[in-house]
Structures are given as C-alpha cells and as structure tokens.
Amino acid sequence: MLAGLVLHRPGSVATLFLTATIGNTAGAVVNWYLGRSLMRFAGRRWFPVSAGRIEQASAFFNRYGSWPLLFSWLPIVGDPLNVAAGVLRIRLRLFLPLVVIGKAVRYLFVVAGVEMARAAG
C-alpha cells in the first residue's frame, strides 16, 4: 500500500512514511497491551495460550533479550512477538523504541525502493 501511495503522491513521501510507521506501531502497541492484559485470564478453560507456549516465549526472550522486537514488522511472527512482549511484561519504554526502529527501517526500504525504481524508470 505504501509503495503505491508513494508512486502516486511523490510530494507526500515524508507524510506517508510517518503515517505508515506511526499506524503500524500503534497496532503493535495494541497487541502488546492485549498480551499484557491477557494473563489475568490464565488458567481459564477457554484461555487461548498454553502454559508451555508461555514458557517457550519466556525462554526465547530470556535467550535473545528484547532485540527480536526489531523484527516485529515481519508477517506471521510480528504480531505474536508483540503479544508475547506484553504477556512477559516487557516495559513499554523498551518495547516502543525497538518496534518503532524496526517498522521505520522497513518503510525506509519500501520508500527507497520506490524512489530507486522511479529514478531508473
């Protein structure tokens, strides 16, 4: 979506970049908050996450720290990373900069790719 908008609105690249980064980061924060709030329901029969999965996520973050949050932009794994960060109570002040950096770098590559294609084309 961003690439198409950048192609059709070349004068709005900065606004498009910031909007995409902020919007995607806001979605990640919602997932983090849901994960953080989710644990109060642990132990209920309908609870969607097994204790084993929570232990796996904990081991993953204990091994790698919070750095994998730089990859929260990835499809399929990004949302679970954000939810797991909330479940494991990773502080928002640590979560937010890593997620913003990861998502911003992703969108910088998208914008740069469009600009390079435009220049070559």
Side-chain angles (χ1 to χ4, degrees), residues 102-118:
K103 291 180 184 293
V105 168
R106 171 193 189 185
Y107 291 131
L108 280 174
F109 276 105
V110 170
V111 169
V114 170
E115 294 299 330
M116 287 177 15
R118 186 191 328 262

Side-chain angles (χ1 to χ4, degrees), residues 26-100:
V29 171
V30 168
N31 284 334
W32 172 86
Y33 179 76
L34 289 172
R36 192 167 171 89
S37 302
L38 188 68
M39 289 311 293
R40 68 182 166 162
F41 300 110
R44 296 200 181 165
R45 201 168 76 170
W46 55 265
F47 191 70
V49 183
S50 69
R53 284 283 194 202
I54 293 170
E55 185 58 38
Q56 281 180 328
S58 181
F60 179 81
F61 276 97
N62 284 335
R63 181 173 182 183
Y64 297 106
S66 298
W67 295 109
L69 291 169
L70 290 168
F71 298 99
S72 68
W73 59 269
L74 286 169
I76 300 171
V77 299
D79 289 340
L81 272 173
N82 297 329
V83 172
V87 166
L88 299 173
R89 300 211 170 266
I90 291 176
R91 292 184 184 136
L92 187 60
R93 69 179 182 198
L94 177 60
F95 172 85
L96 198 54
L98 292 170
V99 171
V100 168

